[in-house]
Structure formats: C-alpha cells, structure tokens
Amino acid sequence: AQTGRFGPGIVTVDMLTSEALLTNPFLSYAFPSGVPIAVSMSSVSPTLYRGVFELTEATTNGSAIAVFSARDTLGNQGNQVLSGAALNVDTLGPKVTVITIAPEAPIENSATVTVPVNVEFQLSEPAQVGVDPLFSYTLSTTQPSATALPGFTPVAGDRARWSGSFDLPANAGQGAPETLSFLSSAQDDLGNIE
C-alpha cells in the first residue's frame, strides 16, 4: 500500500530467502493482542515464496510483526526477517471523537425564534478527499428519526475537523427536555467506512 497501511482486501506477500529451503516456510503476522494472520506460502522459485491472505473488517487493527521460520536444504533453521517485517492494518473508518456545540447544553429553544446550533466534529482520521462525511441528528422526543445536516465543511482544510450549523425545530424541547444526538458516516483514504 502506498500509505504503508493496508485496508480490507486481498494482500499478496512475496518472500525472498537468502538460500533454497527444504520445505515451504512458515509465516504469520502477530499483533500485540488479537488473532495472528497465518499465511500459507508456496514456492515460486527455489528462493522466492508467495502467499495470499485477506484482511476483513474483523481483522485486528494496528501493527503486526512477521513471524518466520524455515529450514535450508541442510536442515539449518532460520527465523530472521531482514526487510518488510511490519504490517500496518487499518480496517476502521473515521469516527467522531469530539463534538463541540454552541450554544452549550442545555440549549434553550424558543417556539417563536429559531435557535441556530453550531457544531464541530473531530474525526479520528481525515475523511477521504472527494467523499465528504455525512452528519445527522436526532431529538429524543420530537425528532427520533435521523435528520441530515447538509453543508458541513472542513475547518481550515483539515478533513478530520468538520463544522456547520443547523436550526433546531421550533417544537424541540417545548414540552420537556430532550436529548440531542448526532450520527455520522465517514470514509477514509483506504475506503474504510465507520
């Protein structure tokens, strides 16, 4: 991957050994926590081996280190990886980590005067260029279905920070206090959606 990160999809591993091997080598990628990825290696030539595995949304995220073991034709064991031992897995899309609202809670809504709410969303990573995140809100009583929030734009060109505003409906919170909640969907540069 050009970014050094691998998202969901098929990954091909080519392994070049310093000498011919007795049998196909053992290779897996181990995470600090989570299930390791076993890679079945096949011979392409006496010193080139290839394996294929799939990363899914369920694959552990983070850095994995190659665990390698092989025997040469004389039975000597080797387990050292000189290059390409790290695998950086990213199968999660951007999620909202911080929401800033003005006015702050509790928002005093008026049945006669529109109350604009300014919102800034901080994402865990930048949204993909050309694919803007989708934001929406709900109100616990008067607007339980999601209402889209159009017009949100990156703050100072930072695609991990998005701001915009919307007007609360006139009936919001008029009978009793309500909870204002937000929903989001964003895609990163690897196509991961959260």
Side-chain angles (χ1 to χ4, degrees):
Q2 291 180 342
T3 62
R5 299 170 11 254
F6 290 85
I10 302 297
V11 178
T12 300
V13 177
D14 284 340
M15 177 190 299
L16 186 61
T17 59
S18 58
E19 58 184 300
L21 301 179
L22 188 61
T23 62
N24 290 341
F26 169 84
L27 178 66
S28 72
Y29 286 96
F31 295 91
S33 62
V35 178
I37 300 169
V39 184
S40 178
M41 303 300 289
S42 300
S43 177
V44 175
S45 74
T47 59
L48 178 62
Y49 295 83
R50 180 169 290 142
V52 176
F53 63 94
E54 183 176 11
L55 296 175
T56 69
E57 289 80 11
T59 304
T60 301
N61 274 269
S63 294
I65 301 297
V67 177
F68 160 76
S69 181
R71 292 194 182 274
D72 67 15
T73 55
L74 298 176
N76 299 310
Q77 186 174 2
N79 60 10
Q80 191 174 26
V81 178
L82 299 178
S83 176
L87 175 70
N88 294 312
V89 177
D90 179 0
T91 58
L92 298 177
K95 59 184 169 186
V96 174
T97 57
V98 176
I99 301 174
T100 306
I101 302 172
E104 294 180 359
I107 299 170
E108 187 177 335
N109 195 30
S110 169
T112 57
V113 179
T114 303
V115 176
V117 178
N118 298 305
V119 184
E120 183 177 312
F121 297 102
Q122 175 70 50
L123 302 177
S124 57
E125 62 179 308
Q128 181 177 0
V129 173
V131 183
D132 291 349
L134 302 175
F135 300 107
S136 59
Y137 77 94
T138 63
L139 290 165
S140 57
T141 304
T142 58
Q143 198 120 4
S145 297
T147 301
L149 293 172
F152 276 62
T153 57
V155 176
D158 181 355
R159 296 191 62 79
R161 290 177 55 209
W162 293 79
S163 68
S165 65
F166 68 100
D167 294 334
L168 282 175
N171 64 343
Q174 293 306 309
E178 292 192 67
T179 301
L180 171 64
S181 300
F182 294 98
L183 304 156
S184 70
S185 176
Q187 180 173 313
D188 69 11
D189 61 333
L190 295 177
N192 298 315
I193 298 173
E194 188 74 27

